């Protein structure tokens, strides 16, 4: 689970921020707000502004171009002042758009609240009706209503309001459904409150943000659509004019006097842009979950901070990790998930990495092939040499040649690691084609063989199955087949059985172990299950707060831990035949990785802590044959 | 898959039924006497009496509906009083041009919306993402009728590249090439808002999918980034985007009303505007019914495409 939570680290909202504060920080929303405020203020102030009368015609001054004297924006075909008409037209358009929004919000929210509160038949009848409205192309229903009621601004307003009712009904119903079974509603019912009172005083205030969000996202359309109906001559009737009818009047003159249509068109565009910017900002503030595209996607490989290429170390080693530091940069916080890890792996060797959630074991493993998600992950220091090449400095294309070929991964949850849309055989085949250049036919034959080797019954049929048609254990067998497909030199298994039930776990582990031995691949096995490590691995690394705290041969480390943390982990393992043994949970929590202490990170939870432990950094020092420990009192561990 | 398709097809029946009820009820929204409203104030009493009988206005509402629906099912949508010809003939004549226009716009918005959304997500925070985000914002805020006028101003009047309107040239050869030449500007104007919506939702869906474990698996297999993006991420995002494109079909069919008016496109949209001005209610009813029914069928198709993409949806 460690990997999952660390990968999903998202920027936290700054503490203590108000909605207004957050809105202000969104510069686009502020621009939108400014646009809307200016236009609305002008429209509201129209009667007191020193403007010409918008309806006074002056045939002598018709179609004056913009920037003429006495008419900044020119005049229209009847010699009316465009600026004045624009301000008055905006007033009408905004009023009608806002009124339509209010009508739609009122009726739609009422339907949504009633449907969700009463449920059952009421809900069914109301929402099926709403579905019917949604089944129409949006504007056509409005046209049908205008057709029946007759052209006119009020009728256009009503028509646009009606077609927007479903958006309010649906979102308000959804929000209310989440509330109707909560305790406070139950309490209000038991206190004998009437249904009306519960809806108005208990439910409505809680769904108000949803209504506001829906209003802010629909008001722009409604202004556009009412203007559109006026443009078609179905809304505002002369002499009354809104922006749409001005545009409609001007379109016949587009060749001789384009300003008559361009001016109102541009104003609609700017107004709606402003409203949409503000609406997006409001939505982000009021409902961060809806924030579209707020999530970062990981890029093809983990970003590596620039640094000098590392010299070669142990020539015979398969993998040599030195001074690896991987961190997550979240806003101003830097989470040091891996904080200086060194280890070496010989060909064919099996290494276990154990530690609590958040100890950095998964991030260490994913750093090897650059699979730590960036953003926010970044490998800030260190070297990872595989067969002598530094993987961190390798071009992406060369790294891709190693991924899935010389080094392969088995991830934790087989439900999510397989692509749900592709047949499992194709997913195995893909890696064969990629790295061995096999033809599709040869690759499929080999994929079936691999599925057979991992013990899938009837592999030929199973190859054509989709992941959701297989059990968890079967899926993980597919993942193992994929990992083994190109006979890798190193397999990295990251808690491969955690998501499986216990009996399946044992079988999958046996399979993994057998196949690894047959192919002679080295193994890095990440787990918090110490029992599995002692079965599968020769050596073990114990990690804590991003660092290795102890390493050595599995038997030696587990029989005689030389770090208090290892000892504490071992004390948590139940032992068969010793039912009286108390399971000691480790008191306290690991330190936050953005605020690591200078001294030993385990000091706060350690029974052997001395003042010295906190005073300086504790180094990983030799603690026996092939063993190292990051503890100054390692000789006393396990003796009292 | 076939079983699912049949079940899904069966589900459209109640929807079509509901649509027919709403379209039928539109007439009862007419204030005053519908027969007079339909025929105008100067209609002869004979004609008024005739349309009363035709509409069955003397009968109770449910019975009127049944009479009307059985007519519809036999292809009888009544008679247009402004055009003096059967509504069904006029609607069918006008339906083709609208389908061509809306289809072209839907094609444009799918292609450009998907490409822009994918590029924007893959290059998140890069300059391409910023440019696309701004373009999308302007696009979804654009009144299509205004954009249509601007396109005519620049590309027809100014540059002379495209005709100012119509579907074919007055003395043209009626070829596909000529049609495409006339189609370019109106389809573009009609597609802009929908392109913005598709791009925005494609970006959001791609960002979500690119974070999934199976994309990490694809990268861990050593697949090239292009294959990771398209075969593993994009296909999964598409499952959620296809219905969104279906919804855009509704906006495009509605928006066609503006664009057909601006470009004098001989489709149902322009017919409806004229029909509303002349208060030819039966023509409006027929046009709306046919377009709404075609929208239901489009949504059926997008649903089937979605299920074809995602095997998990085929059960139940």
């Amino acid at each position: 689970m460690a990997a999952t939570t660390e990968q999903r680290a998202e920027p936290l909202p700054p503490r203590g921020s108000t909605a207004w504060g957050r809105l202000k920080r969104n510069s686009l929303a502020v621009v939108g707000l400014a646009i809307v405020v200016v236009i609305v203020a002008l429209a509201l102030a129209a009667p007191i502004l020193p403007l010409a009368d918008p309806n006074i015609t002056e045939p002598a001054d018709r179609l004056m171009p913009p920037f003429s004297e006495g008419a900044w924006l020119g005049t229209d075909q009847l010699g009316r002042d465009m600026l004045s008409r624009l301000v008055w037209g905006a007033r009408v358009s905004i009023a009608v758009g806002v009124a339509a929004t209010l009508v739609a919000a009122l009726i739609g929210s009422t339907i949504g609240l009633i449907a969700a509160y009463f449920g059952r038949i009421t809900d069914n009848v109301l929402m099926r009706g709403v579905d019917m409205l949604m089944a129409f192309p949006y504007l056509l229903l409005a046209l049908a209503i205008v057709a029946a009621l007759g052209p006119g601004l009020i009728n256009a307003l009503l028509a646009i309001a009606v077609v927007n009712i479903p958006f309010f009904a649906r979102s308000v119903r959804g929000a209310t459904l989440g509330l109707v079974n909560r305790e406070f509603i139950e309490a209000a019912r038991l206190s004998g409150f009437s249904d009306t009172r519960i809806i108005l005083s208990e439910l409505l205030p809680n769904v108000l943000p949803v209504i506001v969000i829906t209003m802010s996202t629909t008001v722009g359309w409604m202004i556009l659509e009412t203007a559109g109906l006026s443009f078609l001559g179905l809304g505002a009737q002369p002499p009354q004019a809104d922006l749409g009818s001005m545009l409609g009047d001007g379109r016949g003159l587009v060749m001789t006097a384009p300003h008559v249509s361009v001016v109102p068109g541009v104003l609609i565009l700017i107004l709606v842009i402003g409203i949409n910017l503000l609406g997006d900002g409001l939505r982000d503030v009021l409902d961060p979950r809806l924030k579209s595209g707020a999530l970062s996607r990981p890029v093809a490989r983990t970003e590596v901070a620039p640094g000098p290429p590392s010299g070669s170390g142990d020539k015979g080693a398969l993998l040599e990790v030195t001074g690896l530091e991987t961190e997550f940069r979240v806003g101003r916080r830097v989470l040091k998930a891996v904080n200086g890890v060194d280890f070496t792996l010989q060909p064919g060797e099996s290494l276990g990495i154990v530690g609590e959630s958040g100890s950095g074991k998964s991030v260490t493993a994913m750093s090897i092939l650059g699979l730590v998600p960036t953003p926010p992950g970044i490998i800030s220091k260190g070297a990872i040499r595989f067969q002598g090449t530094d993987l961190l400095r390798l071009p992406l294309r060369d790294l891709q040649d190693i991924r899935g070929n010389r080094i392969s991964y088995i991830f934790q949850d087989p439900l999510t690691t397989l692509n749900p849309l592709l047949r499992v055989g194709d997913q195995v085949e893909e890696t064969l084609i990629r790295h061995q250049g096999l033809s599709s036919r040869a690759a499929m034959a080999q994929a079936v063989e691999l599925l057979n080797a991992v013990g899938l019954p009837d592999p030929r049929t199973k190859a054509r199955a989709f992941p959701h048609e297989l059990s968890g254990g079967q899926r993980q067998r597919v993942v193992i087949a994929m990992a083994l497909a190109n006979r890798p030199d190193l397999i990295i298994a990251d808690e491969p059985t955690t998501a499986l039930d216990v009996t399946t776990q044992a079988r999958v582990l046996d399979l993994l172990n057998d196949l690894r031995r047959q192919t002679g691949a080295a193994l890095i096995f990440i787990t918090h299950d110490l029992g599995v490590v002692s079965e599968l691995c020769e050596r073990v690394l114990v990690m804590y707060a991003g660092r290795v705290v102890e390493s050595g041969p599995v038997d030696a480390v587990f029989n005689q831990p030389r770090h208090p943390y290892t000892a504490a982990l071992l004390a948590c393992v139940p032992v068969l035949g010793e039912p009286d043994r108390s399971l000691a949970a480790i008191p306290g929590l690991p330190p936050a990785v953005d605020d690591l202490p200078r001294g030993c990170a385990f000091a706060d939870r350690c029974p052997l802590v001395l003042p010295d432990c906190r005073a300086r950094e504790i180094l990983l020092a030799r603690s026996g044959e092939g063993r190292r420990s990051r503890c100054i009192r390692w000789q006393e561990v396990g003796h009292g | 898959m076939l079983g699912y398709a049949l079940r899904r097809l069966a589900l459209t029946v109640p929807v079509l039924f509901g649509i027919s009820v709403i379209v039928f009820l539109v007439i009862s929204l007419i204030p005053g006497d519908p027969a007079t409203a339909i025929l105008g104030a100067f209609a002869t009493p004979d004609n008024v009496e005739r349309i009363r009988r035709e509409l069955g206005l003397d009968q109770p509402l449910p019975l009127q509906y049944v009479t009307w629906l059985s007519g519809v099912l036999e292809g009888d949508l009544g008679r247009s009083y402004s055009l003096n010809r059967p509504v069904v003939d006029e609607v069918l004549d006008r339906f083709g041009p609208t389908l061509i226009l809306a289809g072209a716009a839907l094609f444009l918005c799918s292609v450009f919306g998907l490409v822009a959304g994918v590029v924007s997500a893959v290059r998140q925070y890069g300059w391409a993402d910023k440019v696309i985000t701004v373009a999308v914002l302007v696009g979804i805020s654009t009144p299509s009728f205004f954009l249509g006028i601007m396109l005519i101003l620049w590309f027809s009047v100014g540059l002379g590249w495209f005709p100012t309107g119509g579907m074919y040239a007055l003395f043209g050869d009626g070829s596909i090439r000529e049609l495409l030449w006339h189609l370019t500007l109106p389809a573009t104007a009609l597609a802009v808002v929908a392109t913005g919506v598709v791009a925005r939702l494609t970006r959001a869906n791609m960002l979500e999918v690119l974070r999934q474990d199976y994309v990490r698996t694809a990268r861990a297999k050593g697949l090239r980034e292009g294959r990771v993006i398209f075969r593993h991420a994009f296909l999964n995002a598409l499952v959620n985007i296809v219905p969104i494109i279906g919804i855009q079909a509704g906006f495009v069919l509605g928006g066609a009303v503006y664009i057909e008016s601006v470009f004098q496109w001989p489709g149902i949209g322009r017919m409806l505007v004229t029909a509303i001005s002349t208060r030819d209610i039966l023509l409006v009813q027929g046009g709306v019914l046919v377009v709404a029914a075609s929208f239901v069928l489009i949504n059926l198709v997008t649903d089937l495409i979605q299920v074809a993409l995602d095997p998990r949806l085929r059960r139940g």
Side-chain angles (χ1 to χ4, degrees):
Chain A
M1 288 314 276
T4 328
T5 42
E6 281 154 13
Q7 283 162 42
R8 296 290 143 89
E10 283 306 325
L12 302 169
R15 277 167 213 149
S17 63
T18 61
W20 173 242
R22 271 180 285 158
L23 190 66
K24 269 197 308 189
R25 258 191 297 283
N26 182 340
S27 52
L28 286 176
V30 172
V31 172
L33 183 65
I35 293 174
V36 172
V37 166
V38 169
I39 298 181
V40 170
L42 280 176
L44 286 177
I48 56 166
L49 290 176
L51 291 168
D53 186 318
N55 293 324
I56 295 244
T57 57
E58 191 62 72
D61 292 337
R62 50 195 288 272
L63 297 180
M64 277 162 57
F67 308 112
S68 306
E69 201 175 333
W72 286 2
L73 291 176
T75 56
D76 70 1
Q77 64 278 19
L78 296 176
R80 295 173 293 195
D81 181 52
M82 285 294 291
L83 179 64
S84 171
R85 287 182 66 72
L86 193 67
V87 173
W88 284 95
R91 193 177 154 94
V92 175
S93 279
I94 293 170
V96 171
V98 170
T101 310
L102 290 174
V103 172
L106 185 70
I107 302 175
S109 306
T110 307
I111 293 177
L113 280 166
I114 289 177
Y117 181 76
F118 292 103
R120 296 162 182 274
I121 298 178
T122 318
D123 186 29
N124 245 316
V125 169
L126 286 175
M127 294 320 287
R128 290 300 79 77
V130 165
D131 287 348
M132 288 307 151
L133 291 185
M134 296 280 280
F136 277 91
Y138 183 71
L139 194 62
L140 279 184
L141 186 57
L143 279 181
I145 295 170
V146 172
L149 297 178
L153 197 53
I154 299 297
N155 292 344
L157 185 163
L158 289 176
I160 294 298
V162 167
V163 296
N164 276 286
I165 286 174
F167 299 103
F168 287 92
R170 284 192 163 188
S171 53
V172 170
R173 175 179 173 269
T176 312
L177 278 182
L179 295 170
V180 284
N181 292 322
R182 297 265 288 276
E183 297 78 7
F184 68 98
I185 299 299
E186 199 54 39
R189 272 203 194 113
L190 292 175
S191 329
F193 285 11
S194 71
D195 291 337
T196 321
R197 179 160 172 201
I198 294 175
I199 290 177
L200 290 181
S201 65
E202 305 293 328
L203 288 173
L204 182 62
N206 283 294
V207 297
L208 213 50
V210 176
I211 300 177
V212 172
I213 291 171
T214 314
M215 286 174 75
S216 72
T217 49
T218 51
V219 67
W221 302 346
M222 289 201 231
I223 289 180
L224 265 188
E225 303 298 355
T226 46
L229 290 178
S230 289
F231 171 81
L232 294 173
L234 307 176
Q237 302 295 317
Q240 187 182 43
D242 68 354
L243 295 174
S245 65
M246 288 175 68
L247 186 53
D249 290 345
R251 72 170 146 149
L253 305 163
V254 71
M255 305 195 195
T256 48
H259 72 274
V260 180
S261 48
V262 171
V263 166
V266 168
L267 187 66
I268 300 178
L269 177 62
I270 293 175
L271 175 63
V272 177
I273 288 179
I275 290 172
N276 285 340
L277 281 174
L278 182 60
D280 288 355
L282 269 181
R283 188 194 50 194
D284 292 355
V285 168
L286 289 176
D287 192 352
R289 281 166 306 142
L290 284 175
K291 191 168 175 174
S292 65
L295 309 170
S296 305
R297 86 283 174 251
V299 295
R301 83 186 285 185
T302 314
E303 187 183 336
V304 179
S310 66
S312 60
D314 185 345
K315 293 281 190 220
L318 178 72
L319 182 76
E320 202 181 4
V321 174
T322 45
L324 178 69
E325 293 187 16
T326 305
E327 57 199 35
F328 294 98
R329 295 184 179 167
V330 179
R332 262 163 278 163
R333 296 163 69 198
V334 176
L335 310 172
K336 290 226 168 234
V338 178
N339 192 6
V341 163
D342 307 87
F343 67 91
T344 307
L345 193 68
Q346 302 301 326
E349 194 182 10
S350 60
L351 172 74
I353 304 184
V354 298
E356 287 170 279
S357 294
S359 61
K361 51 194 196 308
S362 287
V363 179
T364 301
M366 290 203 295
S367 295
I368 295 171
L369 285 183
L371 291 172
V372 179
T374 297
I378 177 167
I379 298 175
S380 50
K381 274 201 192 114
I384 296 171
R385 276 182 298 274
F386 176 73
Q387 296 172 336
T389 9
D390 187 348
L391 297 180
L392 296 183
R393 318 275 173 233
L394 207 59
L396 176 63
R397 291 185 73 82
D398 297 342
L399 181 68
Q400 285 169 340
D401 289 339
I402 292 176
R403 284 178 175 178
N405 185 16
R406 302 331 314 143
I407 305 179
S408 59
Y409 276 89
I410 299 168
F411 292 108
Q412 188 180 106
D413 185 354
L415 182 63
T416 57
T417 52
L418 289 171
N419 188 330
L421 306 189
L422 302 177
R423 298 179 194 280
V424 295
D426 294 343
Q427 299 191 52
V428 177
E429 181 193 280
E430 193 173 41
T431 182
L432 293 163
I433 295 174
R434 165 69 181 89
H435 292 292
Q436 300 183 22
L438 296 182
S439 71
S440 179
R441 178 189 294 265
M444 186 41 87
Q446 203 171 325
V448 171
E449 244 171 70
L450 279 162
L451 292 178
N452 189 38
V454 295
L456 268 191
D458 192 7
R460 202 166 297 277
T461 319
K462 285 284 189 284
R464 297 193 44 77
F466 290 99
H468 73 269
E469 296 167 334
L470 303 180
S471 70
Q474 289 177 328
R475 280 193 285 249
Q476 199 60 311
R477 285 170 196 269
V478 172
V479 173
I480 293 174
M482 241 157 64
L484 291 167
N486 296 303
R487 301 209 149 229
D489 299 312
L490 170 60
I491 299 168
I492 301 172
D494 189 348
E495 307 202 31
T497 56
T498 315
L500 306 177
D501 66 67
V502 182
T503 48
T504 320
Q505 277 185 14
R507 270 185 262 136
V508 168
L509 285 176
D510 286 345
L511 171 77
L512 180 62
N513 204 18
D514 288 349
L515 293 172
R516 182 185 80 81
R517 282 174 204 282
Q518 285 168 26
T519 59
L523 174 72
I524 295 179
F525 194 91
I526 295 153
T527 182
H528 48 242
D529 186 340
L530 303 187
V532 173
V533 171
S534 60
E535 258 174 60
L536 244 64
C537 302
E538 294 150 17
R539 277 199 311 131
V540 63
L541 293 184
V542 181
M543 286 191 67
Y544 187 77
R547 293 187 153 173
V548 176
V549 292
E550 178 164 13
S551 69
V554 169
D555 294 345
V557 170
F558 286 2
N559 287 330
Q560 196 177 37
R562 286 185 173 160
H563 191 285
Y565 178 61
T566 318
L569 275 183
L570 285 164
C572 295
V573 179
V575 175
L576 205 64
E578 290 184 37
D580 296 338
R581 205 175 108 115
S582 66
L583 288 180
I586 309 175
L589 287 169
V593 282
D594 61 338
D595 188 23
L596 289 173
R598 188 153 55 109
C600 176
F602 190 62
D604 286 349
R605 305 166 79 184
C606 181
L608 302 176
V609 63
L610 293 175
D612 229 17
C613 298
R614 303 183 198 268
R616 60 188 168 84
E617 190 179 335
I618 313 293
L619 298 174
L620 194 61
R622 191 182 138 86
S623 58
E625 182 60 39
R627 301 186 59 176
R628 307 217 285 168
S629 165
R630 199 183 284 276
C631 180
I632 50 178
R633 300 183 72 187
W634 61 264
Q635 280 149 317
E636 299 160 59
V637 176
H639 294 294
Chain B
M1 182 74 204
L2 185 68
Y4 177 87
L6 290 176
R7 275 199 305 279
R8 180 64 185 72
L9 187 66
L11 277 181
T12 60
V13 174
V15 179
L16 289 171
F17 173 75
I19 281 178
S20 72
V21 170
I22 292 177
V23 169
F24 169 75
L25 287 178
V26 160
I27 284 206
S28 61
L29 277 179
I30 299 175
D33 176 16
T36 321
I38 286 169
L39 292 178
F42 304 105
T44 63
D46 273 5
N47 275 336
V48 172
E49 197 43 48
R50 189 160 59 90
I51 193 161
R52 274 184 180 286
R53 256 201 329 276
E54 223 169 88
L55 295 175
L57 289 176
D58 41 355
Q59 294 171 322
L61 211 56
L63 205 62
Q64 286 179 38
Y65 172 73
V66 172
T67 318
W68 176 77
L69 186 66
S70 53
V72 169
L73 292 177
E74 285 165 18
D76 176 13
L77 293 169
R79 196 170 179 83
S80 158
Y81 286 89
S82 62
L83 301 170
N84 195 26
R85 72 183 289 214
V87 166
V88 71
D89 294 353
E90 178 68 10
V91 166
L92 289 182
D93 281 353
R94 300 291 202 124
F95 192 49
T98 295
L99 271 192
I100 291 174
L101 178 62
L106 208 55
F107 173 78
L108 290 178
C109 87
S110 308
V111 171
F112 289 100
L114 289 172
V115 170
V118 169
V119 169
S120 199
V122 171
R123 298 265 176 264
Q124 191 188 17
Y125 308 133
W127 65 266
D129 182 30
K130 289 183 178 134
V131 169
I132 290 171
T133 305
V134 172
V136 161
L137 182 85
V138 175
I140 58 176
S141 309
T142 306
S144 59
F145 42 94
F146 175 56
L147 180 65
I149 294 176
M150 290 300 99
L151 290 179
I152 291 176
L153 191 59
W154 290 324
F155 293 101
S156 307
V157 179
L159 297 167
W161 289 357
F162 295 100
T164 55
M167 197 167 164
Y168 293 99
L170 199 51
F171 300 105
D173 50 8
S175 64
I176 296 278
R177 199 175 143 272
E178 195 185 309
L179 175 63
L180 290 177
W181 187 50
H182 282 76
L183 186 58
T184 307
L185 292 187
T188 305
L190 185 53
V192 163
V193 174
T195 306
V197 176
V198 173
R200 189 177 253 206
L201 294 167
T202 302
R203 177 179 187 270
N205 272 292
M206 278 298 284
L207 289 178
E208 181 61 36
V209 166
L210 281 168
R211 298 156 51 83
Q212 297 300 313
D213 288 348
Y214 52 78
V215 170
R216 182 183 62 187
T217 305
R219 285 178 170 148
K221 281 199 276 192
L223 301 182
R224 296 294 184 211
E225 198 56 13
R227 194 174 170 91
V228 173
I229 301 278
F230 288 104
R231 187 156 188 230
H232 290 273
F234 179 67
L235 270 189
N236 275 284
L238 202 55
V239 171
N240 294 324
I241 298 166
V242 164
I244 290 164
I245 292 178
I247 292 168
Q248 294 317 301
F251 287 90
V252 165
L253 283 169
V257 174
Y258 301 132
I259 298 304
E260 290 179 3
S261 296
V262 171
F263 288 90
Q264 286 126 48
W265 192 264
I268 284 194
R270 204 152 65 99
M271 179 199 85
L272 286 176
V273 175
T274 320
I276 293 171
S277 311
T278 55
R279 309 229 58 190
D280 194 339
I281 300 287
L282 291 181
L283 195 53
V284 174
Q285 228 182 15
V288 170
L289 186 68
V290 168
V291 177
S294 65
F295 179 48
V296 171
L297 294 183
I298 291 171
N299 275 324
L300 171 68
V301 171
T302 54
D303 269 18
L304 293 179
I305 294 176
Q306 190 189 21
V307 173
L309 280 172
D310 191 343
R312 287 168 299 180
L313 300 173
R314 278 170 220 166
R315 297 176 297 178

